[in-house]
Amino acid sequence: MSDRSGFNIIAVDGGAATGKSSTSRAIAERLNLMHVDTGAHYRTLTFALLDAGADPEAPDVIPTVLKSLKLDTTIKGRSALLSINGDVPADADIRSPQVNANVSKFAAIESVREFLFNYQRSQAQVARDQAEFSGLIMEGRDIGSIIFPSADFRFFLFADEATRAARRAKDGQTDSIAERDKLDSQRKAAPLVCPEGAIRVDTGPLPLEGVVEHICGIITA
Ligand code: C5P
């Protein structure tokens, strides 16, 4: 997988509010990795599609709308952010109730996933091109199964329902995580699964530092 000696690709998958983002960010910090949140990619694209008047219930017109959107990367600290037509929308915009309600519907559409596939894979080269990073950590739903099936390390995070609901409430977000997980797990295109051979990590009983310690221990062993 690596063409720079010691350059690791780490895939982190899991359902909503299982701790993927906080964990991946902290690991990126510890191990000097470029961090990519593909949930933010789907959210940014959903925001742009809604803005362009697209409707997830009318998928036939989406390929035409997608043609007008140009994807690029902006690096901010250790995070590589998706820009669309030169714009990285504010966090509040991509985490709004409207985006929360539509993101899994757009993410289930084949043309939307195809649109992001090459872009997401290309982030490995973006990370390699930045000499300061010693690898890439990418989080999402299909990273270890579809985007980087031969990643150096693949983790699957999970947690009990009550812990996940409490985490979302703490974030102050209006979000039906159970509904999103159902749509994400049942869709035909790249469903949320624990990739075969991935290391399962239960984030319910452990504090964030404990999860980070556990995963970093495996990577650096
Ligand atoms: O990670 P986050 O909860 O922000 O992801 C938002 C939504 O984006 C998910 O519920 C899912 O529908 C979609 N997604 C996806 N594939 C990924 C990452 C996110 O379908 N790799």
Side-chain angles (χ1 to χ4, degrees):
M1 194 90 234
S2 323
D3 63 22
R4 236 209 284 139
S5 151
F7 183 95
N8 278 327
I9 295 188
I10 295 152
V12 179
D13 289 301
T18 52
K20 295 185 304 295
S21 288
S22 343
T23 304
S24 302
R25 276 202 187 92
I27 295 171
E29 195 63 43
R30 271 244 214 142
L31 304 182
N32 195 28
L33 310 171
M34 187 176 95
H35 168 242
V36 178
D37 173 359
T38 62
H41 293 170
Y42 283 94
R43 290 172 174 279
T44 300
L45 188 52
T46 295
F47 179 72
L49 286 167
L50 290 171
D51 192 50
D55 177 354
E57 313 301 335
D60 292 355
V61 297
I62 289 177
T64 312
V65 183
L66 291 174
K67 281 198 189 108
S68 67
L69 306 179
K70 188 177 174 305
L71 309 183
D72 215 329
T73 302
T74 298
I75 298 189
K76 204 172 162 193
R78 290 184 195 288
S79 293
L81 307 173
L82 168 66
S83 70
I84 297 188
N85 295 342
D87 186 38
V88 179
D91 223 45
D93 286 333
I94 66 166
R95 297 183 194 281
S96 69
Q98 206 199 2
V99 169
N100 280 342
N102 283 284
V103 63
S104 293
K105 294 180 192 166
F106 281 118
I109 297 170
E110 202 101 38
S111 61
V112 168
R113 303 203 76 81
E114 276 168 18
F115 187 64
L116 286 175
F117 178 80
N118 287 329
Y119 171 78
Q120 290 176 343
R121 279 214 169 158
S122 75
Q123 297 306 290
Q125 196 54 48
V126 172
R128 283 189 176 101
D129 288 345
Q130 314 287 315
E132 72 263 34
F133 295 127
S134 54
L136 165 73
I137 185 162
M138 184 176 279
E139 50 156 311
R141 304 294 189 288
D142 61 344
I143 311 309
S145 56
I146 307 281
I147 305 298
F148 290 121
S150 26
D152 299 279
F153 296 93
R154 294 178 304 152
F155 296 96
F156 185 82
L157 273 45
F158 64 100
D160 60 276
E161 201 67 44
T163 305
R164 296 164 66 199
R167 282 179 186 154
R168 270 302 189 257
K170 202 168 145 225
D171 291 346
Q173 286 198 32
T174 314
D175 191 2
S176 37
I177 53 175
E179 203 176 308
R180 279 205 289 128
D181 270 1
K182 195 166 157 208
L183 281 172
D184 294 344
S185 307
Q186 293 179 350
R187 68 187 177 213
K188 267 202 273 163
L192 165 65
V193 285
C194 174
E196 218 187 306
I199 300 166
R200 290 172 60 86
V201 180
D202 184 355
T203 69
L206 287 172
L208 174 64
E209 307 76 59
V211 177
V212 172
E213 195 64 45
H214 174 64
I215 294 180
C216 286
I218 293 171
I219 296 170
T220 57

